[in-house]
Coordinates of all heavy atoms in Angstrom, one line a residue:
M1198 N 43.3 200.9 44.0 CA 44.4 200.1 44.3 C 45.5 201.1 44.7 O 45.8 202.1 44.0 CB 44.9 199.3 43.0 CG 44.8 197.9 43.1 SD 45.5 197.1 41.7 CE 44.5 195.7 41.7
N1199 N 46.2 200.7 45.7 CA 47.3 201.6 46.2 C 48.6 201.1 45.6 O 48.7 200.0 44.9 CB 47.4 201.6 47.7 CG 47.7 200.3 48.3 OD1 48.4 199.5 47.8 ND2 47.1 200.1 49.5
I1200 N 49.7 201.8 45.8 CA 51.0 201.5 45.2 C 51.5 200.2 45.7 O 52.1 199.4 44.9 CB 52.0 202.7 45.6 CG1 51.5 203.9 44.9 CG2 53.4 202.3 45.2 CD1 52.3 205.2 45.2
D1201 N 51.3 199.8 46.9 CA 51.8 198.5 47.4 C 51.1 197.3 46.7 O 51.7 196.3 46.4 CB 51.6 198.4 49.0 CG 52.5 199.4 49.7 OD1 53.6 199.7 49.2 OD2 52.1 199.8 50.8
E1202 N 49.8 197.5 46.5 CA 49.1 196.4 45.8 C 49.5 196.3 44.4 O 49.7 195.2 43.9 CB 47.6 196.7 45.8 CG 47.0 196.5 47.2 CD 45.5 197.0 47.3 OE1 45.1 197.9 46.5 OE2 44.8 196.5 48.1
I1203 N 49.8 197.4 43.7 CA 50.3 197.4 42.3 C 51.7 196.7 42.3 O 51.9 195.9 41.4 CB 50.3 198.8 41.7 CG1 48.9 199.3 41.6 CG2 51.0 198.8 40.4 CD1 48.8 200.8 41.2
A1204 N 52.5 197.1 43.2 CA 53.9 196.5 43.3 C 53.8 195.0 43.5 O 54.5 194.2 42.9 CB 54.7 197.2 44.4
A1205 N 52.9 194.6 44.4 CA 52.7 193.1 44.7 C 52.2 192.4 43.4 O 52.7 191.3 43.1 CB 51.8 192.9 45.8
L1206 N 51.3 193.0 42.7 CA 50.7 192.4 41.5 C 51.8 192.3 40.4 O 52.0 191.3 39.7 CB 49.6 193.2 40.9 CG 48.2 193.0 41.6 CD1 47.2 193.9 41.1 CD2 47.8 191.5 41.4
R1207 N 52.6 193.3 40.3 CA 53.7 193.3 39.3 C 54.7 192.2 39.6 O 55.2 191.5 38.7 CB 54.5 194.7 39.3 CG 53.7 195.7 38.5 CD 54.5 197.0 38.4 NE 53.8 198.0 37.7 CZ 54.2 199.2 37.5 NH1 55.3 199.6 38.1 NH2 53.4 200.0 36.8
Q1208 N 55.0 192.0 40.9 CA 55.9 191.0 41.3 C 55.3 189.6 41.0 O 56.0 188.7 40.5 CB 56.3 191.1 42.8 CG 57.3 190.1 43.3 CD 58.6 190.2 42.7 OE1 59.0 191.3 42.2 NE2 59.3 189.1 42.5
I1209 N 54.1 189.4 41.3 CA 53.4 188.1 41.0 C 53.5 187.8 39.5 O 53.8 186.7 39.1 CB 52.0 188.1 41.5 CG1 52.0 188.1 43.0 CG2 51.2 186.9 41.0 CD1 50.6 188.4 43.6
V1210 N 53.1 188.8 38.7 CA 53.1 188.7 37.2 C 54.6 188.4 36.8 O 54.8 187.5 35.9 CB 52.6 189.9 36.5 CG1 52.8 189.9 35.1 CG2 51.1 190.1 36.8
R1211 N 55.5 189.1 37.3 CA 56.9 188.8 36.9 C 57.3 187.4 37.2 O 58.0 186.7 36.4 CB 57.8 189.8 37.6 CG 59.2 189.9 37.1 CD 60.1 191.0 37.8 NE 59.6 192.3 37.2 CZ 59.2 193.3 38.0 NH1 59.2 193.2 39.3 NH2 58.7 194.4 37.4
E1212 N 57.0 186.9 38.4 CA 57.4 185.5 38.8 C 56.6 184.5 37.9 O 57.2 183.5 37.5 CB 57.0 185.3 40.3 CG 57.9 186.1 41.2 CD 59.4 185.8 41.1 OE1 59.7 184.6 40.9 OE2 60.2 186.8 41.1
E1213 N 55.4 184.8 37.6 CA 54.6 183.9 36.7 C 55.2 183.8 35.3 O 55.3 182.8 34.7 CB 53.2 184.2 36.7 CG 52.4 183.9 38.0 CD 52.5 182.4 38.3 OE1 52.3 181.6 37.4 OE2 52.8 182.1 39.5
M1214 N 55.6 185.0 34.8 CA 56.2 185.1 33.5 C 57.5 184.3 33.5 O 57.8 183.5 32.6 CB 56.5 186.5 33.1 CG 55.2 187.3 32.7 SD 55.5 189.1 32.5 CE 56.8 189.1 31.3
K1215 N 58.3 184.4 34.5 CA 59.6 183.7 34.6 C 59.3 182.2 34.7 O 60.0 181.4 34.0 CB 60.4 184.0 35.9 CG 61.0 185.4 35.8 CD 61.8 185.7 37.1 CE 62.3 187.1 37.1 NZ 63.0 187.4 38.3
S1216 N 58.3 181.8 35.4 CA 57.9 180.4 35.5 C 57.5 179.8 34.1 O 57.9 178.7 33.7 CB 56.8 180.2 36.5 OG 56.3 178.9 36.5
V1217 N 56.7 180.6 33.4 CA 56.2 180.1 32.1 C 57.4 180.1 31.1 O 57.5 179.1 30.4 CB 55.1 181.1 31.6 CG1 54.8 180.8 30.1 CG2 53.8 181.0 32.4
L1218 N 58.2 181.1 31.1 CA 59.4 181.0 30.2 C 60.3 179.9 30.5 O 60.8 179.2 29.6 CB 60.2 182.4 30.3 CG 59.5 183.6 29.7 CD1 60.2 184.8 30.0 CD2 59.3 183.4 28.2
K1219 N 60.5 179.5 31.8 CA 61.3 178.4 32.2 C 60.6 177.1 31.7 O 61.3 176.2 31.2 CB 61.5 178.4 33.7 CG 62.5 177.3 34.1 CD 62.8 177.4 35.6 CE 63.9 176.4 36.0 NZ 64.4 176.6 37.3
E1220 N 59.3 177.0 31.8 CA 58.6 175.8 31.4 C 58.7 175.6 29.9 O 58.8 174.4 29.5 CB 57.1 176.0 31.8 CG 56.3 174.7 31.8 CD 54.9 175.0 32.4 OE1 54.8 175.5 33.5 OE2 54.0 174.6 31.7
V1221 N 58.8 176.6 29.1 CA 58.9 176.4 27.7 C 60.4 176.5 27.2 O 60.7 176.4 26.0 CB 58.0 177.4 26.8 CG1 56.6 177.2 27.1 CG2 58.4 178.8 27.1
G1222 N 61.3 176.6 28.1 CA 62.7 176.6 27.8 C 63.3 177.9 27.3 O 64.3 177.9 26.6
L1223 N 62.6 179.0 27.6 CA 63.1 180.3 27.1 C 63.5 181.2 28.3 O 63.3 182.4 28.3 CB 62.0 181.0 26.3 CG 61.6 180.3 25.0 CD1 60.4 181.0 24.4 CD2 62.8 180.3 24.1
H1224 N 64.2 180.6 29.2 CA 64.6 181.3 30.5 C 66.1 181.7 30.5 O 66.5 182.5 31.4 CB 64.2 180.5 31.7 CG 65.0 179.2 31.7 ND1 64.6 178.2 30.9 CD2 66.0 178.8 32.5 CE1 65.5 177.1 31.2 NE2 66.3 177.5 32.1
D1225 N 66.9 181.2 29.6 CA 68.3 181.5 29.7 C 68.7 182.6 28.8 O 67.9 183.3 28.1 CB 69.1 180.2 29.3 CG 68.7 179.6 28.0 OD1 68.0 180.3 27.3 OD2 69.2 178.5 27.7
E1226 N 70.1 182.8 28.7 CA 70.6 183.9 27.9 C 70.4 183.7 26.4 O 70.5 184.7 25.7 CB 72.1 184.1 28.2 CG 72.4 184.5 29.7 CD 71.8 185.9 30.0 OE1 71.9 186.8 29.1 OE2 71.3 186.1 31.1
E1227 N 70.2 182.5 26.0 CA 70.1 182.2 24.6 C 68.6 182.3 24.1 O 68.3 181.9 23.0 CB 70.7 180.8 24.3 CG 72.1 180.7 24.6 CD 72.7 179.3 24.5 OE1 71.9 178.4 24.3 OE2 73.9 179.1 24.7
A1228 N 67.7 182.7 25.0 CA 66.3 182.7 24.6 C 66.0 183.6 23.4 O 65.2 183.2 22.5 CB 65.5 183.2 25.8
G1229 N 66.7 184.7 23.3 CA 66.5 185.6 22.1 C 66.8 184.9 20.8 O 66.1 185.0 19.8
D1230 N 68.0 184.2 20.9 CA 68.4 183.4 19.7 C 67.4 182.3 19.3 O 67.1 182.1 18.2 CB 69.8 182.8 19.9 CG 70.9 183.9 20.0 OD1 70.7 185.0 19.4 OD2 71.9 183.6 20.6
D1231 N 66.9 181.7 20.4 CA 65.9 180.6 20.2 C 64.6 181.2 19.5 O 64.1 180.6 18.6 CB 65.5 180.0 21.5 CG 66.7 179.2 22.1 OD1 67.6 178.9 21.4 OD2 66.6 178.9 23.3
V1232 N 64.2 182.3 20.0 CA 62.9 182.9 19.4 C 63.2 183.3 17.9 O 62.4 183.1 17.1 CB 62.5 184.1 20.2 CG1 61.4 184.9 19.5 CG2 62.0 183.7 21.6
R1233 N 64.4 183.9 17.7 CA 64.7 184.2 16.3 C 64.8 183.0 15.4 O 64.3 183.0 14.3 CB 66.0 185.0 16.2 CG 65.9 186.5 16.6 CD 67.2 187.2 16.3 NE 68.2 187.0 17.4 CZ 68.2 187.5 18.6 NH1 67.2 188.3 19.0 NH2 69.1 187.2 19.5
D1234 N 65.3 181.9 15.9 CA 65.4 180.6 15.2 C 64.0 180.1 14.9 O 63.7 179.7 13.8 CB 66.2 179.6 15.9 CG 67.7 179.8 16.0 OD1 68.1 180.7 15.2 OD2 68.4 179.2 16.8
L1235 N 63.1 180.2 15.9 CA 61.7 179.8 15.7 C 61.0 180.6 14.6 O 60.3 180.1 13.8 CB 60.9 179.8 17.0 CG 61.3 178.7 18.0 CD1 60.6 179.1 19.4 CD2 60.9 177.4 17.5
R1236 N 61.2 181.9 14.7 CA 60.6 182.8 13.7 C 61.1 182.4 12.3 O 60.4 182.4 11.3 CB 60.9 184.2 14.0 CG 60.1 184.7 15.1 CD 60.3 186.2 15.4 NE 59.5 186.7 16.5 CZ 59.7 187.8 17.1 NH1 60.7 188.6 16.8 NH2 58.9 188.2 18.1
S1237 N 62.4 182.2 12.2 CA 63.0 181.8 10.9 C 62.5 180.5 10.4 O 62.2 180.4 9.2 CB 64.6 181.7 11.1 OG 65.2 181.3 9.9
L1238 N 62.3 179.5 11.3 CA 61.7 178.2 10.9 C 60.3 178.4 10.4 O 59.9 177.8 9.3 CB 61.7 177.3 12.0 CG 63.1 176.6 12.4 CD1 63.0 175.8 13.7 CD2 63.6 175.7 11.2
I1239 N 59.5 179.2 11.0 CA 58.1 179.5 10.6 C 58.1 180.2 9.3 O 57.3 179.8 8.4 CB 57.4 180.3 11.7 CG1 57.2 179.4 12.9 CG2 56.0 180.8 11.1 CD1 56.7 180.2 14.1
T1240 N 59.0 181.1 9.1 CA 59.0 181.9 7.8 C 59.4 180.9 6.7 O 58.8 180.9 5.6 CB 60.0 183.0 7.9 OG1 59.6 183.9 8.9 CG2 60.2 183.8 6.6
D1241 N 60.4 180.0 7.0 CA 60.9 179.1 6.0 C 59.8 178.1 5.6 O 59.6 177.7 4.5 CB 62.1 178.3 6.5 CG 63.4 179.3 6.5 OD1 63.3 180.4 6.0 OD2 64.3 178.9 7.2
W1242 N 59.0 177.6 6.7 CA 58.0 176.7 6.5 C 56.9 177.3 5.6 O 56.4 176.6 4.6 CB 57.4 176.3 7.8 CG 56.1 175.5 7.7 CD1 54.8 175.9 8.0 CD2 56.0 174.1 7.3 NE1 54.0 174.8 7.7 CE2 54.7 173.7 7.3 CE3 56.9 173.1 6.9 CZ2 54.2 172.5 7.0 CZ3 56.5 171.9 6.5 CH2 55.1 171.6 6.6
R1243 N 56.5 178.5 5.8 CA 55.5 179.2 5.0 C 56.0 179.3 3.5 O 55.2 179.1 2.6 CB 55.2 180.6 5.6 CG 54.4 180.5 6.9 CD 54.2 181.9 7.4 NE 53.4 181.7 8.7 CZ 53.4 182.7 9.6 NH1 54.1 183.8 9.5 NH2 52.7 182.5 10.7
G1244 N 57.3 179.7 3.4 CA 57.8 179.8 2.0 C 57.8 178.4 1.3 O 57.5 178.3 0.1
M1245 N 58.2 177.4 2.1 CA 58.2 176.0 1.5 C 56.8 175.6 1.1 O 56.6 175.0 0.0 CB 58.8 175.0 2.5 CG 59.0 173.6 1.9 SD 59.7 172.5 3.1 CE 58.4 172.3 4.2
K1246 N 55.8 175.9 1.9 CA 54.4 175.5 1.5 C 54.0 176.2 0.2 O 53.4 175.6 -0.6 CB 53.4 175.9 2.7 CG 53.4 175.0 3.8 CD 52.3 175.2 4.8 CE 51.9 176.6 5.1 NZ 50.9 176.8 6.1
K1247 N 54.4 177.4 0.1 CA 54.0 178.2 -1.1 C 54.7 177.6 -2.3 O 54.0 177.4 -3.4 CB 54.5 179.6 -1.0 CG 54.2 180.5 -2.1 CD 54.6 181.9 -1.9 CE 54.4 182.8 -3.1 NZ 54.9 184.2 -3.0
V1248 N 56.0 177.2 -2.2 CA 56.7 176.6 -3.3 C 56.1 175.2 -3.7 O 55.9 174.9 -4.9 CB 58.2 176.5 -3.0 CG1 58.9 175.6 -4.0 CG2 58.8 177.8 -3.0
V1249 N 55.7 174.4 -2.7 CA 55.1 173.1 -2.9 C 53.8 173.3 -3.7 O 53.6 172.6 -4.7 CB 54.9 172.3 -1.6 CG1 54.0 171.1 -1.8 CG2 56.3 171.9 -1.0
W1250 N 53.0 174.2 -3.3 CA 51.7 174.4 -4.0 C 51.9 174.9 -5.4 O 51.2 174.5 -6.3 CB 50.8 175.3 -3.2 CG 50.1 174.6 -2.0 CD1 50.3 174.9 -0.7 CD2 49.2 173.5 -2.1 NE1 49.6 174.0 0.1 CE2 48.9 173.1 -0.7 CE3 48.7 172.7 -3.1 CZ2 48.1 172.0 -0.4 CZ3 47.9 171.7 -2.8 CH2 47.6 171.3 -1.5
Q1251 N 52.9 175.7 -5.6 CA 53.2 176.2 -6.9 C 53.7 175.0 -7.8 O 53.3 174.9 -9.0 CB 54.3 177.3 -6.9 CG 53.8 178.6 -6.4 CD 54.9 179.6 -6.3 OE1 56.1 179.3 -6.2 NE2 54.6 180.9 -6.1
T1252 N 54.5 174.2 -7.2 CA 55.0 173.0 -8.0 C 53.8 172.1 -8.3 O 53.8 171.5 -9.4 CB 56.1 172.3 -7.1 OG1 57.1 173.2 -6.8 CG2 56.6 171.1 -7.9
V1253 N 52.9 171.8 -7.4 CA 51.8 171.0 -7.6 C 50.9 171.6 -8.8 O 50.5 170.8 -9.7 CB 51.0 170.8 -6.4 CG1 49.6 170.1 -6.7 CG2 51.7 169.9 -5.4
A1254 N 50.7 172.9 -8.7 CA 49.9 173.5 -9.7 C 50.6 173.4 -11.1 O 49.9 173.1 -12.1 CB 49.7 175.0 -9.4
R1255 N 51.9 173.6 -11.1 CA 52.6 173.5 -12.4 C 52.6 172.1 -13.0 O 52.4 171.9 -14.2 CB 54.1 173.9 -12.2 CG 54.2 175.4 -12.1 CD 55.7 175.9 -12.0 NE 55.7 177.3 -11.8 CZ 56.6 177.9 -11.0 NH1 57.5 177.2 -10.3 NH2 56.6 179.2 -10.9
A1256 N 52.7 171.1 -12.1 CA 52.7 169.7 -12.5 C 51.3 169.4 -13.0 O 51.2 168.7 -14.1 CB 53.1 168.8 -11.3
G1257 N 50.3 169.8 -12.4 CA 48.9 169.6 -12.9 C 48.7 170.3 -14.2 O 48.1 169.7 -15.1
T1258 N 49.2 171.4 -14.4 CA 49.0 172.1 -15.7 C 49.8 171.4 -16.8 O 49.2 171.2 -17.9 CB 49.6 173.6 -15.5 OG1 48.9 174.3 -14.5 CG2 49.5 174.3 -16.8
M1259 N 51.0 170.9 -16.4 CA 51.8 170.2 -17.4 C 51.1 168.9 -17.8 O 51.1 168.5 -19.0 CB 53.2 169.9 -16.9 CG 54.0 171.2 -16.8 SD 54.2 172.1 -18.3 CE 55.3 171.0 -19.2
F1260 N 50.4 168.2 -16.8 CA 49.7 167.0 -17.1 C 48.5 167.2 -18.0 O 48.4 166.5 -19.0 CB 49.2 166.4 -15.8 CG 48.5 165.1 -15.9 CD1 49.1 163.9 -16.2 CD2 47.1 165.1 -15.8 CE1 48.4 162.8 -16.4 CE2 46.4 163.9 -15.9 CZ 47.1 162.7 -16.3
V1261 N 47.8 168.3 -17.8 CA 46.6 168.6 -18.6 C 47.1 169.0 -20.0 O 46.5 168.5 -21.0 CB 45.8 169.7 -18.0 CG1 44.8 170.3 -19.0 CG2 45.1 169.3 -16.7
L1262 N 48.2 169.8 -20.1 CA 48.7 170.1 -21.4 C 49.2 168.9 -22.2 O 49.0 168.8 -23.4 CB 49.8 171.2 -21.3 CG 49.3 172.6 -20.9 CD1 50.5 173.5 -20.7 CD2 48.4 173.2 -21.9
G1263 N 49.8 168.0 -21.4 CA 50.3 166.7 -22.0 C 49.1 165.9 -22.6 O 49.2 165.4 -23.7
L1264 N 48.0 165.8 -21.8 CA 46.9 165.1 -22.3 C 46.3 165.8 -23.6 O 45.9 165.1 -24.5 CB 45.8 165.1 -21.2 CG 46.0 164.1 -20.0 CD1 44.9 164.3 -19.0 CD2 46.1 162.7 -20.5
L1265 N 46.2 167.1 -23.6 CA 45.7 167.8 -24.7 C 46.6 167.6 -25.9 O 46.1 167.3 -27.1 CB 45.6 169.3 -24.5 CG 44.5 169.7 -23.5 CD1 44.6 171.2 -23.1 CD2 43.1 169.4 -24.1
M1266 N 47.9 167.6 -25.7 CA 48.9 167.3 -26.8 C 48.7 165.9 -27.3 O 48.8 165.7 -28.5 CB 50.3 167.7 -26.4 CG 50.5 169.2 -26.2 SD 52.1 169.9 -26.5 CE 52.7 169.0 -27.8
F1267 N 48.6 165.0 -26.4 CA 48.4 163.6 -26.8 C 47.1 163.4 -27.7 O 47.1 162.7 -28.7 CB 48.4 162.7 -25.6 CG 48.2 161.2 -26.0 CD1 49.2 160.5 -26.5 CD2 46.9 160.6 -25.7 CE1 49.0 159.1 -26.9 CE2 46.7 159.3 -26.1 CZ 47.8 158.5 -26.6
G1268 N 46.1 164.1 -27.2 CA 44.8 164.0 -27.9 C 44.9 164.6 -29.3 O 44.4 164.1 -30.3
A1269 N 45.7 165.7 -29.4 CA 45.9 166.4 -30.7 C 46.7 165.5 -31.6 O 46.4 165.4 -32.8 CB 46.5 167.8 -30.5
W1270 N 47.7 164.9 -31.1 CA 48.6 164.0 -31.8 C 47.8 162.8 -32.4 O 47.9 162.4 -33.5 CB 49.8 163.5 -31.0 CG 50.6 162.5 -31.6 CD1 51.5 162.6 -32.6 CD2 50.5 161.1 -31.4 NE1 52.1 161.4 -33.0 CE2 51.4 160.4 -32.2 CE3 49.8 160.3 -30.5 CZ2 51.6 159.1 -32.2 CZ3 49.9 158.9 -30.5 CH2 50.9 158.3 -31.4
A1271 N 47.0 162.2 -31.5 CA 46.2 161.1 -31.9 C 45.2 161.5 -33.0 O 45.0 160.7 -33.9 CB 45.4 160.5 -30.6
K1272 N 44.6 162.7 -32.8 CA 43.6 163.1 -33.8 C 44.3 163.4 -35.2 O 43.8 163.0 -36.2 CB 43.0 164.4 -33.3 CG 41.9 164.9 -34.2 CD 40.7 164.1 -34.0 CE 39.5 164.8 -34.7 NZ 38.3 164.0 -34.7
L1273 N 45.5 164.0 -35.1 CA 46.2 164.4 -36.4 C 46.8 163.1 -37.1 O 46.9 163.1 -38.3 CB 47.3 165.4 -36.1 CG 46.7 166.8 -35.7 CD1 47.9 167.7 -35.4 CD2 45.9 167.4 -36.9
S1274 N 47.2 162.2 -36.3 CA 47.9 161.0 -36.9 C 46.9 159.9 -37.2 O 47.2 158.8 -37.6 CB 48.9 160.4 -35.9 OG 48.2 159.9 -34.8
G1275 N 45.6 160.2 -37.1 CA 44.6 159.3 -37.5 C 44.0 158.5 -36.4 O 43.0 157.9 -36.5
G1276 N 44.7 158.5 -35.2 CA 44.1 157.9 -34.0 C 44.0 156.4 -34.1 O 43.4 155.8 -33.2
G1277 N 44.5 155.7 -35.1 CA 44.4 154.3 -35.2 C 43.0 153.8 -35.4 O 42.7 152.6 -35.1
D1278 N 42.1 154.6 -35.9 CA 40.7 154.1 -36.1 C 40.5 153.6 -37.6 O 39.4 153.4 -38.0 CB 39.7 155.2 -35.8 CG 39.8 156.4 -36.6 OD1 40.7 156.5 -37.5 OD2 39.0 157.4 -36.4
G1279 N 41.6 153.3 -38.3 CA 41.4 152.7 -39.6 C 41.1 153.7 -40.7 O 40.8 153.3 -41.8
E1280 N 41.2 154.9 -40.5 CA 40.9 155.9 -41.6 C 42.1 156.2 -42.5 O 43.1 156.1 -42.2 CB 40.4 157.2 -41.0 CG 39.0 157.1 -40.4 CD 38.5 158.4 -39.9 OE1 38.9 159.5 -40.4 OE2 37.7 158.4 -39.0

């Protein structure tokens, strides 16, 4: 490839990149801020998913512990079986 062909390819790629960025709305001066906002949203979403799963695990643990405590209470209080 000679220099003119390389320059032509670079120009084609540059124009296509501009076209794609315009298509997704990242062609203006605020594009950098938009990308940072998107990254922040993704980071926040991942953090929120982690907290939700931790909360579900804690609730499940508390439920199981509650059942165990209820069973122990029923056993210690006679369980209503007439003994």
Side-chain angles (χ1 to χ4, degrees):
M1198 250 186 207
N1199 64 32
I1200 293 175
D1201 291 334
E1202 291 172 333
I1203 293 172
L1206 282 174
R1207 283 186 179 173
Q1208 184 63 29
I1209 291 169
V1210 169
R1211 192 173 289 125
E1212 292 302 317
E1213 287 301 314
M1214 286 173 53
K1215 286 179 185 178
S1216 172
V1217 169
L1218 288 173
K1219 187 172 185 174
E1220 200 171 303
V1221 297
L1223 295 174
H1224 62 285
D1225 56 5
E1226 295 297 320
E1227 297 171 357
D1230 292 335
D1231 293 342
V1232 170
R1233 280 187 285 282
D1234 289 345
L1235 287 171
R1236 286 181 179 166
S1237 175
L1238 284 172
I1239 290 169
T1240 301
D1241 293 345
W1242 172 254
R1243 289 177 180 157
M1245 186 179 69
K1246 283 194 314 185
K1247 180 180 179 183
V1248 169
V1249 166
W1250 284 115
Q1251 287 175 343
T1252 303
V1253 168
R1255 286 183 183 143
T1258 302
M1259 294 300 288
F1260 180 74
V1261 169
L1262 289 174
L1264 287 176
L1265 291 171
M1266 292 208 38
F1267 178 74
W1270 172 78
K1272 184 75 170 173
L1273 292 175
S1274 67
D1278 61 358
E1280 289 183 28

